[in-house]
Amino acid sequence: MMVFVQRLVRVVRKEAEALFRSIRPLRPDARRSASSLGFGSTEDLVAHFYRRQEPCFMDWTMRSGPVSVRAFHERFPDAAADICGQADALCRGEVELHEYRYHAAGRIRWHFDPVSQEEIPLRYSRYYRFNTHDDFPDGSRDPILLFKLHTHQHLCRLGQAYQLTGEERYIDSLNSQLTEWIHHFPVGHGYPYLIVLNVAQRLISWCIIYVFSRSSRRFRDSMLPLFIDALALQARFLYRSLSVHGPTNNFVLTECVALWMVALLFPEFPEASRWEAKALEVLRRELQKQILPDGTSFEKSTGYQRFVAELLILLVWCDRSSTSQELDTRSGLQGVLSSLLYLSGPDGSMPQLGDVSLERAFWLATGEDMCDIRELLAAGASLLDDPSLKWGAQKAAQTVFWFSGADGLTQFDNVEAHPPSKASRLFPDGGFAALRNSWEEPGLLVVVDCGGVTQPGGGGHGHNDVLSFVLWKGGQPVIVDPGTYTYFSSRRWRNIFRSTASHNVVQVDGAEIATLGPGLFQVSAVHHTIHHWEVNEQFVTFDADHSGYARFAQPVLPRRQMVLLNSNALILRDLIGGEGEHELVWRFHCAPGVSPGVTATGDLHLNLPGGDGMLLLFLQSEKPTWELGSGWFSPRYGEKLAIACPTFTVLTALPVSLALGMVPLAKGEAVDTARTTEIRAALVREMNACIPGTEPISITTSLPDRPLRANEERKMDGRGR
């Protein structure tokens, strides 16, 4: 009863505030800023902030600015030109983020949605009545792209350009755009306040903007009092709106990181100590819950694990600036970055397991690729003195400089790089496995999603990808996860990209592994069991199952075994347990540029860019028929590409097992019938030797019943879908 009353009080209070503020908007005021902080005038406020040196993040801007700037130009000449080029575009009133345009006629369109091409009417944020259970037909408004503009991460470019050049015109543009935005959006009004996460991301950006711009007289004289008041009002809005009620996720982490940064950087605010105490209280609890013992994120998503890594990098810097030193952020950061290193390709590309959107805690490097984690690995190597993270980063990164200046680059250079001691690793808590033979020799790399699809509390950012895998050959992607594409612009496309049919798994009777919905982030729970994991000098083995089809009237239990041999071949064996007749579909989503073809022996040849390839051959004498179909791939949020997706389908009585071998082919290498037979026999011997406790297969084993041809009618009703 007490919980209900507390919730009712919160709702009534928020509704009353929304009604009051929709009638009387709260707008920042430079004079109020001075008086609220105990200064007699705005001039006194400016003088105070000009004199004080501490507290400070990125203190190189005060200690060794010119020396560090020279180091940046020497180390990253192309990046310096890119930053100034992007800042010049902002000075012209041009904003383009992830190839979406947010400007027209030299002015930023703060209310414009680039997907639906709509101008969003301004109202108090609570009255938008936005709900993830809404219908979202094709072409719907996508707030993710609006949120990206209102994080103000792009405005940090103006502060960076000022640091690199000392030119006040960048500060003039920054002052103009911040002032325009402040007057466009009273506190609590418009899409910038629709979700509290966006407020937190913007406050992080404003803290960074302040550090980069505070040495400018034009920023101090023309902008600082209004900036301070607007920042304080947003921080108060954030504090009142923390996402601490109900299931929690990366939202509340971001909110508390932002609140702590504001409290540390601006201790003059009367509420600063209260904000810091609340942020630390929540962070202690949430970091323990959201970062699992194996270093992965509890959200079942590599994209949001990357986001958490960025938050932890900020927390390490907060810890450096804080006198409390109360959070164990270093071990958390090391675990999260180490697991991302294992799950990523040799080029630092992170597979898109689960949702990958545009969420970032900061954006200081010039690249926009959300899947490239090398910037974060470099920052972690410098912060933690970690040799394996430096090995993964390959070289120093811009982010290291922007947080630590020339000293950070020197610290990175002094770390001795070497790969992790183990090439393969299972992450049982997060539900991922990375199979590779060597870090130094880029042979085959297999990453398997072997966990559930929901986070504690239900829903989240997982997809129907239990036992799905991605594959690299020689550092080149071959089999991929399709990614996310969209959240809100289309419910239909949202569900297509997170569906079973969009992943490299066995689909039974056309059914989803887990039920999708009712909302865009809801999905039913699926249990999994990891039966075996072994790493030795000859092979790496993985063996797991899931319960997604146990709900059928005739329950079905898919089990997947994988063996990566030291000869650089991969064996995949699927054992489908159950009773009765069922339709089984296997799909293999090829990376862009990979072209499949069927050989004379009925096996599959994947032609890779550059001329080499992969041979996929059945280890049974009777082969299903390959269908050279197509699928979808999203290289980044909001974009989709058609890709090849070879498929085969079997209508059979259960139980059944089917095994595939995947063998790399050199450029121009041809495989005739005799060679195929030899490879198949060798792989069968290896398979029987590597997986304990399962029935061996032989070269003469046939598939039960018959393969189902592509043009054959499929009548699947009544099978418990």
Side-chain angles (χ1 to χ4, degrees), residues 104-136:
R107 294 190 64 84
I108 299 175
R109 303 176 70 179
W110 295 110
H111 301 271
F112 179 69
D113 171 38
V115 175
S116 65
Q117 299 289 302
E118 296 176 345
E119 289 286 338
I120 310 301
L122 182 67
R123 57 173 64 103
Y124 197 79
S125 56
R126 194 164 178 81
Y127 292 150
Y128 283 110
R129 301 301 181 192
F130 180 80
N131 194 310
T132 60
H133 288 69
D134 291 345
D135 188 36
F136 295 105

Side-chain angles (χ1 to χ4, degrees), residues 15 26 37 113 181 190 208 252 283 288 304 307 322 324 378 432 441 521 529 536 553 563 593 595 627 638 679 707 718:
E15 290 294 341
L26 181 60
L37 298 182
D113 171 38
W181 183 89
I208 294 171
V252 76
L283 284 169
Q288 186 175 10
Y304 283 88
F307 185 37
S322 172
S324 60
F432 301 107
E441 297 295 330
F521 299 95
T529 301
N536 59 41
V563 180
S595 174
E627 302 174 26
I679 293 173

Side-chain angles (χ1 to χ4, degrees), residues 136-443:
F136 295 105
D138 291 0
S140 294
R141 184 184 305 166
D142 192 342
I144 289 291
L145 296 165
L146 274 168
F147 295 156
K148 185 66 179 177
L149 178 67
H150 295 293
T151 63
H152 290 182
Q153 290 168 354
H154 65 286
L155 292 181
C156 294
R157 287 286 181 269
L158 293 166
Q160 290 174 294
Y162 170 71
Q163 283 292 323
L164 293 176
T165 66
E167 295 182 19
E168 293 283 353
R169 65 189 180 93
Y170 294 121
I171 297 300
D172 291 339
S173 179
L174 176 66
N175 292 347
S176 173
Q177 294 188 34
L178 283 174
T179 301
E180 182 179 273
W181 183 89
I182 288 169
H183 291 312
H184 266 280
F185 300 101
V187 176
H189 285 71
Y191 261 53
Y193 293 91
L194 182 60
I195 61 170
V196 187
L197 171 68
N198 201 212
V199 180
Q201 290 170 300
R202 185 165 56 252
L203 283 172
I204 292 171
S205 296
W206 279 36
C207 288
I208 294 171
I209 287 169
Y210 169 77
V211 170
F212 287 158
S213 308
R214 62 187 166 171
S215 61
S216 164
R217 178 171 294 277
R218 292 188 188 177
F219 180 78
R220 293 196 306 268
D221 294 345
S222 302
M223 189 71 219
L224 185 59
L226 181 63
F227 178 88
I228 292 292
D229 197 52
L231 186 144
L233 292 176
Q234 291 179 79
R236 290 170 189 139
F237 180 92
L238 172 62
Y239 179 74
R240 294 194 305 270
S241 309
L242 288 174
S243 306
V244 292
H245 304 291
T248 54
N249 55 19
N250 62 80
F251 277 41
V252 76
L253 284 183
T254 314
E255 293 156 17
C256 290
V257 170
L259 201 61
W260 196 20
M261 287 182 69
V262 172
L264 290 176
L265 196 55
F266 300 97
E268 294 87 354
F269 292 149
E271 309 95 331
S273 59
R274 191 194 325 157
W275 293 345
E276 180 177 11
K278 183 64 174 180
L280 289 171
E281 172 198 336
V282 177
L283 284 169
R284 277 192 293 270
R285 179 178 68 243
E286 290 297 323
L287 288 172
Q288 186 175 10
K289 180 182 84 171
Q290 296 194 33
I291 300 175
L292 302 176
D294 60 11
T296 56
S297 166
F298 84 142
E299 294 199 65
K300 314 298 183 185
S301 155
T302 52
Y304 283 88
Q305 181 162 326
R306 178 213 161 95
F307 185 37
V308 170
E310 292 177 341
L311 294 172
L312 286 166
I313 287 172
L314 290 174
L315 282 174
V316 170
W317 263 283
C318 286
D319 251 351
R320 285 182 166 187
S321 303
S322 172
T323 57
S324 60
Q325 299 286 316
E326 293 194 38
L327 295 176
D328 182 18
T329 54
R330 295 175 65 87
S331 63
L333 177 61
Q334 192 156 31
V336 169
L337 288 178
S338 178
S339 58
L340 280 176
L341 172 61
Y342 269 95
L343 299 177
S344 297
D347 61 347
S349 60
M350 173 189 74
Q352 300 186 76
L353 306 180
D355 283 337
V356 179
S357 69
L358 300 177
E359 304 299 357
R360 308 185 87 138
F362 54 83
W363 181 33
L364 299 176
T366 51
E368 289 188 330
D369 186 356
M370 296 292 294
C371 292
D372 189 341
I373 64 166
R374 288 174 293 184
E375 287 277 341
L376 302 185
L377 296 178
S382 178
L383 278 172
L384 306 173
D385 194 25
D386 188 300
S388 63
L389 297 182
K390 181 176 180 179
W391 190 90
Q394 301 171 16
K395 60 182 179 180
Q398 301 170 51
T399 300
V400 174
F401 170 83
W402 290 114
F403 278 112
S404 301
D407 290 346
L409 296 176
T410 300
Q411 189 170 353
F412 178 88
D413 292 339
N414 290 337
V415 178
E416 182 180 353
H418 60 72
S421 57
K422 298 178 181 179
S424 297
R425 187 174 168 188
L426 174 69
F427 297 91
D429 303 305
F432 301 107
L435 293 74
R436 58 166 61 79
N437 283 320
S438 169
W439 288 100
E440 290 86 354
E441 297 295 330

